[in-house]
Amino acid sequence: MSLLEGRVAIVTGAGRGLGRAHALKLAEQGAKVIVNDLGSSAAGEGADQTPAQEVVAAIEAMGGQAAVNTSDVSNWSDAQEMVQQAIDTFGRLDILVNNAGILRDRMLVNMSEDEWDSVVKVHLKGTFAPLHHAANYWRLESKAGNPVDARVINTTSHSALFANIGQANYAAAKGGIATLTQLAARELARLGVTVNAIAPRAETRMTEGLSKGQSEERMAKRDPEWIAALVTWLASPESKEVSGRVFEAWGYGYSVIESWQHGPQMEASRDPTTIGEGVKKIVGFARANAGIDRNTWLNP
């Protein structure tokens, strides 16, 4: 029995890279898939149905079922129509994988308002809008007495979790997604919906050029299929007890990100002239912020 037999999924940004790998792996495990992709460039420009059509064709060639969707996930009504398409085409919705995104990198002082707004819109609103409409479908199903066992997998980034320089717009949006994931997990638990996120490390057009000169072994560990395997398990009934978590993922392994924690404390004061030594002391006792280049087993 396949992990996802009889389940219906939406994967956003599924025409290339990670999204394509997610859609194919979900279908391989029995899911029927709405393949969403605008077909725009990595910077969010242009539109082309071909990438989504090619993924649907690949799924059908393996004996699966899939349909093309070219909605703009950051458009409120488009996101609603995408959710409705899954229901109308395949009769239900069980899985939402929010993967769509663009990049417009620039240092903070040089970033334009449009570069900020466009990236935050696609990533953060483009995660919230499909999640909102899917959650409302599951809420109505639950109120009607129909059992709900649904999954949401969002996409955050190491850029957000570890503050990568030159990506203020992208990091801010992805950081919002990480927190939204935790909040949504708490709000939707009563409906039978789990919500998790991944922070992937993969070689795609979004990371083109960043891996130049790396070994063949390291490049193999950046194959999107490693990440798609985790996403597929998180989308399955087996993951029912896992929610509100963020996972690092690539071929070197999977790791659970540990969220903000309460750290060292001191007495409060109404007088700002008296608190300096105490603040310095608790900062000295606190762990340093984790860095994106920290040499750990996930960053060999």
Side-chain angles (χ1 to χ4, degrees):
M1 188 73 173
S2 300
L3 276 177
L4 304 178
E5 200 67 43
R7 291 170 75 78
V8 175
I10 293 172
V11 182
T12 71
R16 301 181 178 94
L18 276 171
R20 176 187 175 92
H22 297 335
L24 293 175
K25 188 66 72 176
L26 291 170
E28 180 185 292
Q29 288 297 317
K32 301 170 185 177
V33 186
I34 297 294
V35 178
N36 163 266
D37 204 285
L38 272 175
S40 60
S41 70
E45 299 166 343
D48 180 6
Q49 291 189 24
T50 305
Q53 290 170 339
E54 290 175 346
V55 175
V56 169
I59 290 172
E60 291 176 342
M62 69 171 74
Q65 297 182 56
V68 170
N69 177 275
T70 57
S71 295
D72 176 355
V73 293
S74 67
N75 180 286
W76 197 251
S77 59
D78 276 14
Q80 185 175 26
E81 290 168 6
M82 179 176 66
V83 169
Q84 192 61 47
Q85 181 185 351
I87 299 162
D88 292 343
T89 304
F90 298 125
R92 57 188 296 127
L93 176 64
D94 306 285
I95 302 156
L96 171 62
V97 180
N98 284 310
N99 168 77
I102 63 172
L103 281 178
R104 293 187 181 176
D105 292 352
R106 203 173 300 278
M107 296 297 285
L108 180 81
V109 295
N110 296 319
M111 187 171 290
S112 70
E113 182 179 12
D114 179 66
E115 287 166 339
W116 174 273
D117 288 347
S118 59
V119 170
V120 171
K121 181 182 179 184
V122 172
H123 286 279
L124 190 52
K125 187 178 179 183
T127 295
F128 173 70
L131 174 56
H132 168 86
H133 294 300
N136 271 287
Y137 163 70
W138 291 320
R139 179 176 63 89
L140 292 175
E141 286 291 291
S142 180
K143 286 182 69 174
N146 299 321
V148 175
D149 186 27
R151 305 287 180 269
V152 178
I153 301 96
N154 296 325
T155 309
T156 183
S157 171
H158 294 87
S159 180
L161 303 173
F162 306 122
N164 194 35
I165 292 172
Q167 293 190 306
N169 48 5
Y170 181 76
K174 290 299 195 183
I177 290 169
T179 300
L180 175 62
T181 296
Q182 294 176 320
L183 183 147
R186 296 178 68 184
E187 288 194 3
L188 301 181
R190 63 186 178 84
L191 301 180
V193 181
T194 70
V195 188
N196 293 287
I198 56 163
R201 296 189 183 189
E203 187 64 19
T204 70
R205 63 180 183 151
M206 296 273 280
T207 60
E208 191 174 2
L210 297 180
S211 303
K212 187 177 180 180
Q214 294 187 5
S215 68
E216 185 176 331
E217 178 189 359
R218 186 176 175 86
M219 291 300 294
K221 295 296 187 181
R222 297 179 71 92
D223 188 316
E225 189 174 10
W226 299 103
I227 300 153
L230 175 61
V231 167
T232 300
W233 184 83
L234 289 171
S236 76
E238 287 188 7
S239 69
K240 189 172 185 176
E241 306 303 320
V242 180
S243 193
R245 292 295 190 174
V246 175
F247 295 89
E248 291 180 281
W250 65 339
Y252 285 104
Y254 308 133
S255 172
V256 181
I257 292 289
E258 296 181 337
S259 68
W260 295 97
Q261 301 288 334
H262 298 292
Q265 301 177 32
M266 60 175 282
E267 293 283 343
S269 173
R270 296 178 186 272
D271 181 358
T273 67
T274 67
I275 66 175
E277 289 304 314
V279 171
K280 292 175 185 177
K281 185 175 182 179
I282 61 172
V283 169
F285 279 115
R287 289 190 296 175
N289 292 334
I292 195 166
D293 298 319
R294 181 159 294 188
N295 186 26
T296 69
W297 69 277
L298 273 184
N299 190 22

